[in-house]
Amino acid sequence: MRYKINDQLRIRRFTPEDLEAVHSYASQPIASQYQSWGPNSESDTKQFLHDALESELENPRRRYVFAVTFPDDHVIGAGELIVTDTEHKIAEIGYILSPDEWGNGYATSIATFLLEFGFEKLDLHRITATCDPRNVASERVLQKVRMTREGLLRETVYLEDHWRDSLIYSMLDWEWQIDHEAE
């Protein structure tokens, strides 16, 4: 499965050959500064790729992990959608980009793709996303894709030696439809 997001970006499944490209950004402390993982060791990155590929075999499938590439197939990041509640059609999205590619609008494009995939392909009702309140750039992405800020979840993620809060954003299927009727 391959998708063209725009003229600059493509989405595809990960392959074991992506190890070096994924590890080049996942091993950087700045890339994971607001995450509960990382910076990755090579073994961590291998495990991530293994788990991403294994998730494709689930039935029913609950985790969709996508490689984000340039048209030349160079991996620059990942997008992920996890179905958290099948009965109520709820999922959570996340994204990561190589720090070399920050500030180009790519995260917004990835988040838009994940919302479209969730609502259009998986027929979901609600999609959420969380981010560290200090991660202003990620919060800006969630605002740009027109997700609604629902509030602050206190001490939801443990980072090395302290708990961090999480902002929670969401979008509902009918909001997606209203936003995209004119297209």
Side-chain angles (χ1 to χ4, degrees):
M1 138 175 66
R2 290 183 182 266
Y3 299 97
K4 179 179 177 179
I5 295 182
N6 55 35
D7 290 340
Q8 295 87 28
L9 298 179
R10 307 292 184 269
I11 292 276
R12 65 167 171 78
R13 68 184 292 274
F14 274 107
T15 69
E17 291 74 33
D18 294 325
L19 176 65
E20 185 177 330
V22 172
H23 192 61
S24 72
Y25 65 80
S27 62
Q28 295 182 47
I30 194 168
S32 62
Q33 67 183 324
Y34 300 117
Q35 306 302 324
S36 59
W37 58 268
N40 279 8
S41 65
E42 188 170 324
S43 136
D44 294 331
T45 304
K46 284 180 184 175
Q47 188 66 52
F48 164 78
L49 287 173
H50 175 269
D51 293 347
L53 294 171
E54 285 292 308
S55 70
E56 295 176 9
L57 306 174
E58 293 177 343
N59 190 13
R61 188 167 178 188
R62 296 176 69 114
R63 184 177 184 214
Y64 298 82
V65 186
F66 301 99
V68 178
T69 73
F70 284 136
D72 67 1
D73 208 39
H74 176 71
V75 175
I76 61 163
E80 185 166 353
L81 181 147
I82 298 174
V83 178
T84 56
D85 185 331
T86 55
E87 179 181 355
H88 297 106
K89 300 175 154 189
I90 300 171
E92 181 173 358
I93 61 168
Y95 41 83
I96 180 87
L97 274 172
S98 168
D100 297 339
E101 306 306 333
W102 290 357
N104 295 314
Y106 298 155
T108 302
S109 296
I110 296 164
T112 300
F113 166 81
L114 293 168
L115 290 168
E116 180 179 6
F117 183 82
F119 290 126
E120 304 290 335
K121 302 270 191 236
L122 301 181
D123 192 34
L124 295 170
H125 170 65
R126 173 182 162 85
I127 298 176
T128 65
T130 61
C131 72
D132 187 312
R134 298 169 298 166
N135 192 344
V136 176
S138 189
E139 183 177 17
R140 197 169 319 123
V141 167
L142 301 176
Q143 293 167 345
K144 284 181 186 178
V145 299
R146 302 179 58 85
M147 294 182 87
T148 299
R149 182 176 168 170
E150 292 187 346
L152 177 76
L153 302 173
R154 299 180 316 141
E155 297 187 1
T156 57
V157 178
Y158 193 74
L159 300 176
E160 294 181 350
D161 62 353
H162 68 282
W163 287 97
R164 76 138 222 239
D165 296 339
S166 295
L167 295 174
I168 182 156
Y169 279 76
S170 72
M171 181 176 277
L172 303 174
D173 54 358
W174 59 266
E175 293 171 319
W176 172 263
Q177 293 303 323
I178 289 171
D179 282 352
H180 294 87
E181 277 178 353
E183 293 178 4

